[in-house]
Amino acid sequence: MQKIKETIPMLLPMIVTFYHIYPQALNVAGSSFILLSGPLGLALYAYHRFPFKEAILLLAGLAIMFLTFYMSGWINNTTTHMMFGYPRSQVAWFFSSYLIVFLIFAIHKRPTINTVLLYISAAVGLQALIALGMNTNEAIHDFFFSLQMQVEYTEAIMEEGGSQRVMGYGIGFFGAGALSGLGLVTISYLLIRMDLKPIGFFLLVTTYVLIFYIGVFMARTTIVGMAVGLGLIGILYLWDNKANIKQAKTFFLSSIFLMIGGYFFVMATFPHFADWAFELFINFVERGELTTTSSQGLSGMFRIPKDVHTILYGTGSMDFQGTDVGYSRMMYWVGIPGALYFYLYQFYIAKLSFTKDWGINSISIAIFLYAFILNFKGWIDLNLVLFIIFFYFMFYKYYVYLPKQEALQKTIGDIKREKRALNKMR
């Protein structure tokens, strides 16, 4: 009974985290969830009197980025929905992240970064579970479909995509794979860095397998997240003295059996998608090549502007211009200087989250690198998650670490004063 009472409050940050990561999964007055959570986070941030000087730096960085978008549009006499839609979403995600971390600290008092990553991992795992249910049960499909934004996720698009792959709840195509891969990265960190009880370990590994298979059937970019996550485990395994070596070994052994079981399950559930989902592995076995039909076409899509005007200012448009590659799309949108700033800003968010423990820093670096690699395939950023990690460390720094240091200094000061008083008495 006591555990139930402790668990129920966790549902609030869990729900907010889920719809923060998948905002289009919930229709809020014709818009996405961050239309609600963003203003709520902003109101809370203002109520707390705009804490954290580092947050001002991030907002200033965002303002500079938005200025490059507007300048490119103004110079090219072009106006697109991305000029206004992207900045609005980034600001909303920023303050929505503040709301999430505030809720986590309110419930867990002194949570670790592992607690935050568990919420993120659970949100991605929940999305995979709902996607599985929607694609195997009509009643579940109709219920969750009714909750989604209907502007972009129309029934026609869902049906068309559903004939080729598993359609996720609140997201599809490239973004679905990107976020599924993100879940694999965060779980990988937890498995090598967190001391788990047997039941917690089993649930986390099972969630890993679920995310991998459902993610691959939604978008094959999930495999990139798996590769980055395994690379993260390998680095921490070899060079981090705080890594849980025994647990990592158990993960590799147990995941073999769970992966085999998961394979037979998805093959029985989605046999008509198998050739597409496992094309990479099929090509590797048959031809020794880690390629897919879509990846083979990427080399011809990597384009760099040739005229000076586009190199400096772009075209002012993010519309499709013959390339899916994220780097090319950014260069054609805002020019090479604007594109460089776009990617450096993501690293800047990660850097502001750095601590003295490089092992903890590795998760922010891994997420940044994961997004950076994904931009060879399509255009995406994972600021919505980096913002959450950033605010966690701000809360910890200002509400846990600094007060503790001040208390320690006071204690040391009292000891010194007592010594001076004692010396005077002598």
Side-chain angles (χ1 to χ4, degrees):
M1 193 68 176
Q2 182 63 30
K3 285 189 175 181
I4 295 176
K5 289 182 179 180
E6 293 175 356
T7 303
I8 289 177
M10 298 179 193
L11 292 176
L12 180 56
M14 178 70 238
I15 292 170
V16 178
T17 301
F18 178 87
Y19 284 113
H20 170 93
I21 296 175
Y22 302 99
Q24 292 173 327
L26 189 64
N27 188 354
V28 178
S31 188
S32 67
F33 175 76
I34 53 173
L35 175 70
L36 173 64
S37 61
L40 282 176
L42 173 58
L44 185 65
Y45 191 71
Y47 177 75
H48 291 158
R49 298 183 180 180
F50 307 97
F52 318 142
K53 60 183 180 181
E54 292 87 346
I56 298 173
L57 297 175
L58 279 191
L59 287 173
L62 272 178
I64 294 172
M65 185 193 302
F66 302 156
L67 183 61
T68 64
F69 299 163
Y70 299 139
M71 283 183 61
S72 177
W74 178 73
I75 291 170
N76 289 283
N77 195 27
T78 304
T79 301
T80 66
H81 71 284
M82 284 295 294
M83 287 176 59
F84 302 98
Y86 180 81
R88 183 176 63 239
S89 297
Q90 288 294 305
V91 172
W93 267 316
F94 182 85
F95 289 109
S96 178
S97 298
Y98 181 83
L99 174 64
I100 289 170
V101 177
F102 169 78
L103 292 173
I104 291 174
F105 267 81
I107 291 170
H108 295 276
K109 304 308 178 187
R110 289 191 177 186
T112 66
I113 184 61
N114 295 339
T115 306
V116 176
L117 296 177
L118 279 171
Y119 275 103
I120 295 170
S121 303
V124 179
L126 179 59
Q127 196 270 349
L129 187 63
I130 293 173
L132 175 63
M134 288 181 70
N135 285 270
T136 54
N137 184 283
E138 188 174 349
I140 295 175
H141 172 276
D142 292 343
F143 172 74
F144 283 103
F145 180 78
S146 68
L147 299 178
Q148 293 186 149
M149 274 183 65
Q150 300 302 308
V151 177
E152 295 184 21
Y153 289 87
T154 62
E155 193 165 357
I157 294 174
M158 292 287 286
E159 288 181 358
E160 180 182 354
S163 64
Q164 303 167 356
R165 64 181 79 199
V166 171
M167 294 299 291
Y169 171 49
I171 198 165
F173 307 110
F174 180 70
L179 291 173
S180 295
L182 168 72
L184 299 182
V185 174
T186 55
I187 291 176
S188 296
Y189 175 86
L190 292 168
L191 287 169
I192 188 69
R193 258 284 184 145
M194 187 177 183
D195 292 325
L196 295 162
K197 294 180 180 178
I199 184 64
F201 176 80
F202 175 76
L203 288 174
L204 208 55
V205 176
T206 303
T207 303
Y208 182 96
V209 174
L210 173 69
I211 292 172
F212 172 75
Y213 278 115
I214 300 303
V216 166
F217 275 81
M218 288 192 290
R220 294 172 298 191
T221 44
T222 301
I223 298 171
V224 179
M226 182 185 193
V228 172
L230 292 177
L232 178 62
I233 289 177
I235 290 171
L236 294 176
Y237 184 96
L238 292 173
W239 290 295
D240 181 25
N241 58 7
K242 295 182 181 179
N244 194 323
I245 305 299
K246 182 179 178 181
Q247 191 167 274
K249 292 179 179 177
T250 307
F251 162 63
F252 283 116
L253 291 173
S254 60
S255 64
I256 293 173
F257 298 99
L258 286 171
M259 281 289 186
I260 293 172
Y263 174 78
F264 285 111
F265 174 77
V266 293
M267 287 297 288
T269 309
F270 308 112
H272 45 300
F273 298 143
D275 290 343
W276 173 83
F278 297 115
E279 183 186 3
L280 180 73
F281 304 104
I282 293 171
N283 288 344
F284 179 73
V285 172
E286 293 181 351
R287 303 199 300 267
E289 299 176 356
L290 285 171
T291 59
T292 63
T293 304
S294 60
S295 66
Q296 287 176 330
L298 285 177
S299 57
M301 283 192 175
F302 192 86
R303 300 166 54 196
I304 298 176
K306 296 181 179 178
D307 61 285
V308 176
H309 179 89
T310 307
I311 288 174
L312 293 176
Y313 309 112
T315 63
S317 174
M318 189 53 163
D319 296 337
F320 180 76
Q321 298 187 41
T323 177
D324 285 329
V325 176
Y327 302 110
S328 294
R329 293 185 68 183
M330 281 304 302
M331 286 187 287
Y332 277 95
W333 182 14
V334 292
I336 291 179
L340 287 173
Y341 186 88
F342 176 80
Y343 294 109
L344 286 173
Y345 180 75
Q346 295 171 41
F347 178 75
Y348 184 58
I349 304 173
K351 187 177 183 300
L352 286 178
S353 303
F354 285 0
T355 69
K356 295 180 180 179
D357 186 338
W358 77 269
I360 290 178
N361 300 343
S362 67
I363 184 60
S364 296
I365 296 171
I367 293 172
F368 163 75
L369 289 176
Y370 173 54
F372 193 77
I373 294 169
L374 286 180
N375 273 266
F376 284 101
K377 177 67 173 67
W379 180 77
I380 196 166
D381 69 59
L382 292 174
N383 294 350
L384 73 166
V385 175
L386 290 174
F387 285 148
I388 295 176
I389 295 173
F390 162 77
F391 273 120
Y392 165 77
F393 285 110
M394 293 304 101
F395 268 77
Y396 185 86
K397 175 182 178 180
Y398 286 92
Y399 299 140
V400 177
Y401 178 75
L402 290 179
K404 188 188 297 184
Q405 291 300 108
E406 290 175 2
L408 180 61
Q409 289 174 359
K410 287 180 180 178
T411 302
I412 293 173
D414 290 339
I415 293 173
K416 288 180 177 179
R417 281 191 291 272
E418 288 177 2
K419 284 185 176 180
R420 285 197 295 267
L422 187 60
N423 289 334
K424 288 180 179 179
M425 290 176 62
R426 289 175 180 172

